[in-house]
Amino acid sequence: MTRTALVVGASGIVGNNLARRLAGRGWKVQGLARRPTAIEGVTPVAADLLDPASLGTALAGLKPSHVFFCSWLRQASEAENIRVNSAMVRNLLDVLARAGSVEHTALVTGLKHYLGPFENYGKGNLPATPFRESQARLDVENFYYAQEDELFAAAARDGFGWSVHRPHTIIGFAIGNAMNMGVTLAVYAEIQRERGQPMKFPGHAVQWNGLTDMTDARLLASHLEWAATEPAARNQAFNIVNGDVFRWSWMWGRLAFWFGLEAAPFSGEGEPLERQLAGAGPLWTAIARKRGLVEPDLGRLVSPWHSDADLGRIVEVVTDMSKSRKLGFLDYQATDDSFFDLFAELRQRRIIP
């Protein structure tokens, strides 16, 4: 039987890549977003997760067998993050309960499960690396925990299976995404080229010298499909990273080389991207017009605050994948190739010159 997927947040970096994968593998796919974008093979569903009445209307007649929740809304405080983002999960699963069709729901969160929310990011008594799924929740409020609790309660009530997926920083194609380091660095590189300046690492010496890992959105999509269809993965939480580790002291020069740029020597103190890109909007608009690019609005492409948070951490981040490996998920992705593949796609789509 054809499986039917409802991908929530289909316009985002995770949902876009997941929807494209599932559609290409024979799933019937419905892509939910507030403002859906066109994805080949995906039926768009326009809905507001914070409006239960309109959500019920938008989902009327839909009977997904598998739900993939890949959406969140950034708020001004963690208390508001908890209130808003837990409500979105609850509202969706309450509406879907009426049809009784859901067999599995997957929730995408992230490594802030171990590192803490934005207000306490990388602070306090953090678990030792590599991060493992068996480590307890931190003793702080976290909207990821609130989302999980809504998922667990609905699964117990309605009898469907669940999985939770915790990626590190995600590399993949999406436009208008709130957390998108790959696109941010690509656009930053083109701005530095226009300025005639080298790429300057924006982060902390701990990130420059220490080990880290990342998650390719395509690998995450594969992991989501695997967990949703593998009985041994039912009712489990999983880390999901590419499988390699690297140091930014190695990676930064490789990224600069791809763009034909020099990597500035690292002095031990990075210059944040928010500072480097401040006031660069008109310059990017001029680049876009001169080179015939499809998105002249710099604000829709870059998320420097998020990249600065990741690259400015003063803790090493390495993630254990043993749990997935033992259950049979063996996919692997080299992180430098993740960046290069994304840059090539951005160029092909005329997002960058």
Side-chain angles (χ1 to χ4, degrees), residues 1-10 14-33 39-45 58-59 61-70 92-93 96 101-106 221 224-226 228-229:
M1 294 180 62
T2 301
R3 297 182 172 111
T4 301
L6 177 64
V7 177
V8 181
V14 177
N16 181 284
N17 284 272
L18 174 62
R20 286 193 284 168
R21 174 186 174 85
L22 296 179
R25 289 170 57 82
W27 289 61
K28 180 180 178 181
V29 183
Q30 298 146 350
L32 187 151
I39 304 172
E40 184 176 357
V42 177
T43 302
V45 179
L59 297 180
L62 300 186
K63 295 184 177 182
S65 58
H66 294 72
V67 178
F68 300 91
F69 197 96
C70 316
L92 176 76
L93 296 178
L96 290 176
S101 63
V102 177
E103 300 171 13
H104 186 96
T105 297
L224 284 158
E225 183 183 21
W226 166 78
T229 56

Side-chain angles (χ1 to χ4, degrees), residues 190-192 194-195 279-290 296 298:
E190 295 295 352
I191 287 174
Q192 292 299 92
E194 190 73 12
R195 289 168 168 169
L283 176 58
W284 180 256
T285 299
I287 294 171
R289 288 174 178 166
K290 180 172 66 174
L298 181 65

Side-chain angles (χ1 to χ4, degrees), residues 294-325:
V294 300
E295 182 50 75
D297 184 353
L298 181 65
R300 283 199 26 91
L301 295 175
V302 302
S303 50
W305 68 273
H306 175 255
S307 297
D308 284 342
D310 268 9
L311 298 176
R313 285 186 305 234
I314 57 173
V315 294
E316 180 181 82
V317 177
V318 182
T319 314
D320 183 70
M321 279 288 293
S322 297
K323 186 175 182 181
S324 291
R325 304 291 188 234

